[in-house]
């Protein structure tokens, strides 16, 4: 069982880039439509911005305002599919007998975005990159809770996915549109702004997977309506409950 406080949060998806837009979405507004757009990431110098993939731009854009310029915060990057688009492009080059770019390869590994974040923000502390199943979001929260238990005053958690190339249709069906959800979390028993939540894990005797939308986006809905809810994946049931 984990108690935590969401001090601040930000999210990004095509057409959803500010608090009013996400509030309208959470209230039942139109879903985002994948159109290939990406954040401009003007906070990053041009030479460094050129090295950021679309997924990396989405992550940096969502997380940047949650960390102060003079702060050192542990960082948890979570993505089930990671740099699938970049990897697919490299595989296409291999298929055409083209040389493989060492730079592109180095930036395709799963912890590359966490490393880029550390460089761009001058972060010298812990950074973690994880990938899992449909409940990768909850596993990222568990990782962050461990960092808080070790004494970190706060931690950044970013769950992000990019809509994969069409070649993966039928194989990857859990990314309706590219998105990122960034959370700045702190211990629940420490005073301050934000909403307090309890996360607990329970076993289901049967596979009762219900993944109508990515778990991180369902949590964004809960941040607006404050309601308790469950996430089920395989035989795991993650229970989210608001704390008074």
């Amino acid at each position: 069982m984990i108690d935590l406080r969401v001090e601040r949060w930000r999210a990004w998806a095509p057409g959803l880039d500010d608090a009013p837009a996400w509030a309208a979405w959470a209230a039942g507004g139109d879903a985002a439509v994948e159109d290939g757009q990406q954040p401009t990431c003007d906070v990053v110098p041009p030479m460094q911005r050129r090295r950021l993939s679309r997924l990396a731009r989405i992550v940096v854009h969502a997380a940047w305002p949650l960390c102060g310029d003079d702060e050192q915060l542990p960082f948890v990057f979570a993505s089930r599919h990671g740099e699938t688009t970049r990897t697919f492009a490299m595989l296409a080059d291999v298929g055409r007998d083209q040389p493989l770019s060492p730079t592109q390869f180095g930036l395709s590994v799963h912890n590359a975005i966490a490393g880029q974040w550390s460089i761009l923000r001058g972060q010298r502390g812990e950074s973690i990159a994880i990938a899992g199943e449909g409940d990768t979001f909850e596993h990222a929260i568990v990782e962050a809770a461990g960092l808080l238990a070790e004494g970190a005053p706060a931690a950044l958690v970013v769950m992000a996915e990019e809509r994969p190339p069409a070649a993966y249709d039928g194989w990857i069906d859990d990314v309706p549109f590219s998105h990122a959800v960034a959370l700045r979390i702190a211990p629940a028993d420490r005073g301050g702004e934000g909403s307090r939540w309890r996360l607990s894990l329970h076993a289901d005797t049967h596979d009762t997977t219900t993944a109508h939308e990515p778990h991180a986006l369902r949590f964004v809905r809960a941040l607006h309506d404050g309601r308790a809810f469950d996430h089920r994946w395989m035989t795991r049931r993650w229970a989210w409950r608001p704390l008074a």
Side-chain angles (χ1 to χ4, degrees):
M1 185 172 63
I2 296 169
D3 290 350
L4 57 91
R5 178 166 48 87
V6 179
E7 291 186 325
R8 283 182 284 157
W9 67 274
R10 267 173 57 94
W12 184 94
L16 299 171
D17 193 22
D18 56 29
W22 280 107
W25 173 85
D30 294 338
V33 176
E34 182 61 56
D35 58 4
Q37 67 172 276
Q38 63 182 3
T40 59
C41 272
D42 291 338
V43 293
V44 179
M47 290 297 292
Q48 295 170 302
R49 190 164 63 237
R50 288 175 52 199
R51 297 170 62 89
L52 297 178
S53 66
R54 181 173 182 240
L55 181 63
R57 285 179 178 233
I58 294 170
V59 169
V60 171
H61 174 79
W64 195 277
L66 303 185
C67 180
D69 292 339
D70 57 348
E71 282 191 298
Q72 292 288 324
L73 293 180
F75 183 77
V76 179
F77 167 67
S79 179
R80 187 179 186 189
H81 305 292
E83 290 279 16
T84 300
T85 298
R86 193 191 288 266
T87 303
F88 182 75
M90 290 192 301
L91 291 174
D93 286 342
V94 172
R96 293 190 296 267
D97 293 324
Q98 298 295 314
L100 200 60
S101 164
T103 298
Q104 292 298 321
F105 178 80
L107 294 175
S108 72
V109 298
H110 199 66
N111 64 346
I113 289 178
Q116 288 176 298
W117 170 265
S118 297
I119 293 169
L120 293 172
R121 294 304 307 250
Q123 296 287 309
R124 300 180 298 277
E126 300 92 338
S127 65
I128 299 169
I130 68 170
E133 295 184 330
D135 53 351
T136 295
F137 172 64
E138 279 80 13
H139 288 290
I141 296 297
V142 171
E143 290 284 351
L147 295 168
L148 296 179
E150 292 177 353
L156 291 181
V157 179
V158 185
M159 177 75 200
E161 301 288 0
E162 182 182 5
R163 186 83 171 93
Y168 291 93
D169 289 351
W171 299 94
I172 298 177
D173 60 1
D174 60 338
V175 187
F177 48 83
S178 302
H179 62 273
V181 176
L183 307 173
R184 179 186 170 117
I185 67 171
D189 58 0
R190 189 173 302 164
E193 61 182 0
S195 58
R196 298 168 65 244
W197 293 85
R198 171 168 292 167
L199 174 64
S200 57
L201 175 61
H202 309 270
D204 279 344
T205 56
H206 302 287
D207 185 342
T208 54
T209 297
T210 54
H212 302 301
E213 64 184 1
H215 285 196
L217 295 180
R218 179 63 189 88
F219 186 66
V220 170
R221 292 187 188 276
L223 287 171
H224 286 88
D225 62 33
R227 297 177 182 174
F229 66 98
D230 290 348
H231 277 162
R232 288 183 165 85
W233 184 262
M234 306 291 284
T235 57
R236 300 185 290 275
R237 178 171 62 87
W238 299 92
W240 285 95
R241 301 293 181 263
L243 297 174

